[in-house]
Amino acid sequence: MKRITELDFDNAYRRLPGDFYDVVHPTPLKNPRLVSFNPDAAALIDLDPEEANNPGLPLYLSGARAIPGSEPLAMYYTGHQFGVYNPDIGDGRAILLGEVRNSRGGKWDLHLKGAGRTAYARVFDGRAVLRSVIREYLSSEAMHGLGIPTTRALSIVGSDEKVERETTERGATLLRMAETHVRFGSFEGFHYTGRGDYVKLLADYVIDGFFPHLAGEEGRYASFLSGVVDRTAKLIALWQACGFTHGVMNTDNMSIIGLTLDYGPFGFLEEYSPEYIPNHSDHFGRYSFGNQPSIALWNLQKLAEALGSVVPREISQEIVFNFRGLYGKYYLEIMKQKLGLLSDDPRDPALIKGLLSILEETKTDYTNFMRGLGDFSAEDGARNEHPARMLGESSAFKEWAAAYRRRLVSEGSIDAERKEAMSSLNPKYILRNYLAERAIRKVEDEGDYAEIERLRILLKNPFSEQPGFGEYSKPTPPSERGLVISCSS
Ligand code: AMP
Ligand code: MG
């Protein structure tokens, strides 16, 4: 286990040409202090969890003091935002401190968000407010707990730095980690400015790190695009199956290795609704829950366009065309597992669709219903009152339940075994907006960091019943509904 001053850096991104980034140093915040430190993320870079007690740690984690071996830079990228190309983005407030090697051969970007302006900051201040940092910290760890690929979060450092948003707030930094922060948008800027050689160089950087079996192969760029399509299809299937809505699926927020990246106005479904839009500035619902698979495809088309100099259009179109099939396959696989189905039946897609329309119609809490469905009995129909109760007297559900029961009986499903399998896939706890909001209020109003720690630990194991946390699995209380999250904070 290492101290913060002993990390083993290997800054490969920094060895790429200067046009790939802007060398920049973090701008310290006033009175930095440690709000939360995540030992699970620390373990990924062999960082000793005892370092949390090192009084100098908040300085290192917020960029006020340089971590030995780090070589900070802001990454260049562009992207399509709400369907429109913006040539002028780049990391305006996130600094790649460097890439840390661990003893198991893994490598992790240390990426510091909120540490001041970079060359790409445009008119913005380079800061992040505490509430948005808390949301990203908790949600990325919650997604990891759910088994969904995501960036991770090492620490939150709070401060007395004043940051102007709709009101004056306090600035904070998030130190996040990922195997890479390269995005679809990282390729777009080079493509649209005619720098095909850089597109190729960046593709080789990603291939070497994440698709090493393709390195040096002829036709590797097409295979790389296929790999990205596959990872994206899997990621979106996982989002849809757990009810996660990203909120801002611009191409610059799409990870090239299929991670959930750049948490802003995200939200988890409560009532099942394809129309759910967590971002209040998304007036037309471009990034609604139900649109996410189509938007992912649209974004992949933009990536294919950006790879135009290394993958001929006829080929890339065909590769991207596979997205729907792959997505459908992954989604069906996951949903079948969530329903506890073991065998294949051509009627399964209709069974799943049928259930979702009933949930939508009856405005039922998606997470809690799926969890409760584990109590469904194929052996004794009379025991099925519990899951049915959530839906009131829905006759459509009764019909659906009869079909589900027949399906279970047909494959000899055993209630207890199925319940166990389903409970390991249908979470008891998700990061409902109001839970995050309560943790934020505790910190902002009372300087109490304990709720963040409680949620981090709870959401690490979202599938296990955790005694004393019954309240945390309840849908949003009516008094806390209608919470609105702004886009850039
Ligand atoms: P986002 O909506 O967080 O994906 O941000 C879009 C782009 O704007 C990204 O390139 C960010 O780095 C940049 N950005 C967002 N907020 C700020 C800020 N406060 N200061 C500088 N750049 C920002
Ligand atoms: Mg972003």
PDB file of all heavy atoms in Angstrom, residues 394-407:
ATOM      1  N   SER A 394     -55.246  -4.070 -10.813  1.00  0.00           N
ATOM      2  CA  SER A 394     -55.042  -4.074 -12.255  1.00  0.00           C
ATOM      3  C   SER A 394     -55.387  -5.431 -12.876  1.00  0.00           C
ATOM      4  O   SER A 394     -54.751  -6.438 -12.590  1.00  0.00           O
ATOM      5  CB  SER A 394     -53.572  -3.724 -12.558  1.00  0.00           C
ATOM      6  OG  SER A 394     -53.244  -4.104 -13.858  1.00  0.00           O
ATOM      7  N   SER A 395     -56.394  -5.432 -13.732  1.00  0.00           N
ATOM      8  CA  SER A 395     -56.778  -6.709 -14.349  1.00  0.00           C
ATOM      9  C   SER A 395     -55.728  -7.097 -15.380  1.00  0.00           C
ATOM     10  O   SER A 395     -55.468  -8.271 -15.610  1.00  0.00           O
ATOM     11  CB  SER A 395     -58.154  -6.598 -14.991  1.00  0.00           C
ATOM     12  OG  SER A 395     -58.134  -5.554 -15.923  1.00  0.00           O
ATOM     13  N   ALA A 396     -55.097  -6.086 -15.996  1.00  0.00           N
ATOM     14  CA  ALA A 396     -54.035  -6.380 -16.950  1.00  0.00           C
ATOM     15  C   ALA A 396     -52.909  -7.132 -16.240  1.00  0.00           C
ATOM     16  O   ALA A 396     -52.318  -8.061 -16.791  1.00  0.00           O
ATOM     17  CB  ALA A 396     -53.512  -5.091 -17.563  1.00  0.00           C
ATOM     18  N   PHE A 397     -52.637  -6.717 -14.996  1.00  0.00           N
ATOM     19  CA  PHE A 397     -51.568  -7.417 -14.280  1.00  0.00           C
ATOM     20  C   PHE A 397     -51.963  -8.854 -13.976  1.00  0.00           C
ATOM     21  O   PHE A 397     -51.137  -9.763 -14.078  1.00  0.00           O
ATOM     22  CB  PHE A 397     -51.155  -6.688 -12.986  1.00  0.00           C
ATOM     23  CG  PHE A 397     -50.058  -7.441 -12.265  1.00  0.00           C
ATOM     24  CD1 PHE A 397     -48.766  -7.456 -12.773  1.00  0.00           C
ATOM     25  CD2 PHE A 397     -50.318  -8.181 -11.119  1.00  0.00           C
ATOM     26  CE1 PHE A 397     -47.749  -8.184 -12.157  1.00  0.00           C
ATOM     27  CE2 PHE A 397     -49.311  -8.913 -10.496  1.00  0.00           C
ATOM     28  CZ  PHE A 397     -48.024  -8.913 -11.013  1.00  0.00           C
ATOM     29  N   LYS A 398     -53.212  -9.049 -13.626  1.00  0.00           N
ATOM     30  CA  LYS A 398     -53.662 -10.425 -13.320  1.00  0.00           C
ATOM     31  C   LYS A 398     -53.441 -11.329 -14.530  1.00  0.00           C
ATOM     32  O   LYS A 398     -52.977 -12.452 -14.416  1.00  0.00           O
ATOM     33  CB  LYS A 398     -55.132 -10.424 -12.907  1.00  0.00           C
ATOM     34  CG  LYS A 398     -55.260  -9.982 -11.452  1.00  0.00           C
ATOM     35  CD  LYS A 398     -56.664 -10.140 -10.924  1.00  0.00           C
ATOM     36  CE  LYS A 398     -56.725  -9.491  -9.547  1.00  0.00           C
ATOM     37  NZ  LYS A 398     -57.879  -8.612  -9.391  1.00  0.00           N
ATOM     38  N   GLU A 399     -53.766 -10.776 -15.678  1.00  0.00           N
ATOM     39  CA  GLU A 399     -53.572 -11.538 -16.916  1.00  0.00           C
ATOM     40  C   GLU A 399     -52.081 -11.812 -17.147  1.00  0.00           C
ATOM     41  O   GLU A 399     -51.674 -12.915 -17.481  1.00  0.00           O
ATOM     42  CB  GLU A 399     -54.107 -10.695 -18.073  1.00  0.00           C
ATOM     43  CG  GLU A 399     -54.836 -11.476 -19.136  1.00  0.00           C
ATOM     44  CD  GLU A 399     -55.504 -10.477 -20.069  1.00  0.00           C
ATOM     45  OE1 GLU A 399     -56.606  -9.953 -19.728  1.00  0.00           O
ATOM     46  OE2 GLU A 399     -54.900 -10.199 -21.120  1.00  0.00           O
ATOM     47  N   TRP A 400     -51.304 -10.761 -16.942  1.00  0.00           N
ATOM     48  CA  TRP A 400     -49.854 -10.903 -17.132  1.00  0.00           C
ATOM     49  C   TRP A 400     -49.294 -11.939 -16.146  1.00  0.00           C
ATOM     50  O   TRP A 400     -48.490 -12.800 -16.521  1.00  0.00           O
ATOM     51  CB  TRP A 400     -49.142  -9.555 -16.930  1.00  0.00           C
ATOM     52  CG  TRP A 400     -47.665  -9.673 -17.208  1.00  0.00           C
ATOM     53  CD1 TRP A 400     -47.054  -9.539 -18.420  1.00  0.00           C
ATOM     54  CD2 TRP A 400     -46.626 -10.015 -16.268  1.00  0.00           C
ATOM     55  NE1 TRP A 400     -45.699  -9.763 -18.295  1.00  0.00           N
ATOM     56  CE2 TRP A 400     -45.405 -10.051 -16.986  1.00  0.00           C
ATOM     57  CE3 TRP A 400     -46.604 -10.281 -14.897  1.00  0.00           C
ATOM     58  CZ2 TRP A 400     -44.183 -10.353 -16.383  1.00  0.00           C
ATOM     59  CZ3 TRP A 400     -45.385 -10.587 -14.297  1.00  0.00           C
ATOM     60  CH2 TRP A 400     -44.195 -10.625 -15.034  1.00  0.00           C
ATOM     61  N   ALA A 401     -49.758 -11.861 -14.899  1.00  0.00           N
ATOM     62  CA  ALA A 401     -49.252 -12.763 -13.859  1.00  0.00           C
ATOM     63  C   ALA A 401     -49.569 -14.217 -14.211  1.00  0.00           C
ATOM     64  O   ALA A 401     -48.751 -15.115 -13.969  1.00  0.00           O
ATOM     65  CB  ALA A 401     -49.851 -12.390 -12.500  1.00  0.00           C
ATOM     66  N   ALA A 402     -50.725 -14.433 -14.815  1.00  0.00           N
ATOM     67  CA  ALA A 402     -51.093 -15.804 -15.190  1.00  0.00           C
ATOM     68  C   ALA A 402     -50.128 -16.318 -16.270  1.00  0.00           C
ATOM     69  O   ALA A 402     -49.651 -17.465 -16.203  1.00  0.00           O
ATOM     70  CB  ALA A 402     -52.533 -15.835 -15.684  1.00  0.00           C
ATOM     71  N   ALA A 403     -49.813 -15.438 -17.233  1.00  0.00           N
ATOM     72  CA  ALA A 403     -48.883 -15.838 -18.300  1.00  0.00           C
ATOM     73  C   ALA A 403     -47.488 -16.083 -17.731  1.00  0.00           C
ATOM     74  O   ALA A 403     -46.799 -17.050 -18.108  1.00  0.00           O
ATOM     75  CB  ALA A 403     -48.833 -14.763 -19.377  1.00  0.00           C
ATOM     76  N   TYR A 404     -47.075 -15.218 -16.819  1.00  0.00           N
ATOM     77  CA  TYR A 404     -45.745 -15.346 -16.185  1.00  0.00           C
ATOM     78  C   TYR A 404     -45.675 -16.660 -15.412  1.00  0.00           C
ATOM     79  O   TYR A 404     -44.706 -17.413 -15.500  1.00  0.00           O
ATOM     80  CB  TYR A 404     -45.540 -14.143 -15.258  1.00  0.00           C
ATOM     81  CG  TYR A 404     -44.219 -14.093 -14.506  1.00  0.00           C
ATOM     82  CD1 TYR A 404     -42.995 -14.277 -15.145  1.00  0.00           C
ATOM     83  CD2 TYR A 404     -44.201 -13.797 -13.125  1.00  0.00           C
ATOM     84  CE1 TYR A 404     -41.794 -14.196 -14.440  1.00  0.00           C
ATOM     85  CE2 TYR A 404     -43.014 -13.717 -12.423  1.00  0.00           C
ATOM     86  CZ  TYR A 404     -41.805 -13.912 -13.082  1.00  0.00           C
ATOM     87  OH  TYR A 404     -40.617 -13.829 -12.376  1.00  0.00           O
ATOM     88  N   ARG A 405     -46.763 -16.964 -14.713  1.00  0.00           N
ATOM     89  CA  ARG A 405     -46.794 -18.188 -13.910  1.00  0.00           C
ATOM     90  C   ARG A 405     -46.703 -19.427 -14.814  1.00  0.00           C
ATOM     91  O   ARG A 405     -45.922 -20.345 -14.557  1.00  0.00           O
ATOM     92  CB  ARG A 405     -48.084 -18.211 -13.081  1.00  0.00           C
ATOM     93  CG  ARG A 405     -48.126 -19.352 -12.118  1.00  0.00           C
ATOM     94  CD  ARG A 405     -48.983 -19.040 -10.908  1.00  0.00           C
ATOM     95  NE  ARG A 405     -49.009 -20.233 -10.084  1.00  0.00           N
ATOM     96  CZ  ARG A 405     -50.089 -20.952  -9.838  1.00  0.00           C
ATOM     97  NH1 ARG A 405     -51.259 -20.569 -10.313  1.00  0.00           N
ATOM     98  NH2 ARG A 405     -50.003 -22.034  -9.105  1.00  0.00           N
ATOM     99  N   ARG A 406     -47.444 -19.370 -15.916  1.00  0.00           N
ATOM    100  CA  ARG A 406     -47.377 -20.494 -16.865  1.00  0.00           C
ATOM    101  C   ARG A 406     -45.946 -20.655 -17.387  1.00  0.00           C
ATOM    102  O   ARG A 406     -45.426 -21.756 -17.507  1.00  0.00           O
ATOM    103  CB  ARG A 406     -48.326 -20.245 -18.062  1.00  0.00           C
ATOM    104  CG  ARG A 406     -49.794 -20.551 -17.766  1.00  0.00           C
ATOM    105  CD  ARG A 406     -50.594 -20.642 -19.069  1.00  0.00           C
ATOM    106  NE  ARG A 406     -50.585 -19.412 -19.848  1.00  0.00           N
ATOM    107  CZ  ARG A 406     -51.413 -18.371 -19.623  1.00  0.00           C
ATOM    108  NH1 ARG A 406     -52.307 -18.410 -18.648  1.00  0.00           N
ATOM    109  NH2 ARG A 406     -51.336 -17.286 -20.377  1.00  0.00           N
ATOM    110  N   ARG A 407     -45.342 -19.537 -17.668  1.00  0.00           N
ATOM    111  CA  ARG A 407     -43.961 -19.539 -18.193  1.00  0.00           C
ATOM    112  C   ARG A 407     -43.003 -20.151 -17.166  1.00  0.00           C
ATOM    113  O   ARG A 407     -42.120 -20.952 -17.510  1.00  0.00           O
ATOM    114  CB  ARG A 407     -43.581 -18.085 -18.514  1.00  0.00           C
ATOM    115  CG  ARG A 407     -42.179 -17.847 -18.974  1.00  0.00           C
ATOM    116  CD  ARG A 407     -41.984 -18.285 -20.406  1.00  0.00           C
ATOM    117  NE  ARG A 407     -40.617 -17.974 -20.835  1.00  0.00           N
ATOM    118  CZ  ARG A 407     -39.568 -18.728 -20.560  1.00  0.00           C
ATOM    119  NH1 ARG A 407     -39.705 -19.842 -19.882  1.00  0.00           N
ATOM    120  NH2 ARG A 407     -38.350 -18.378 -20.970  1.00  0.00           N
TER     121      ARG A 407
END
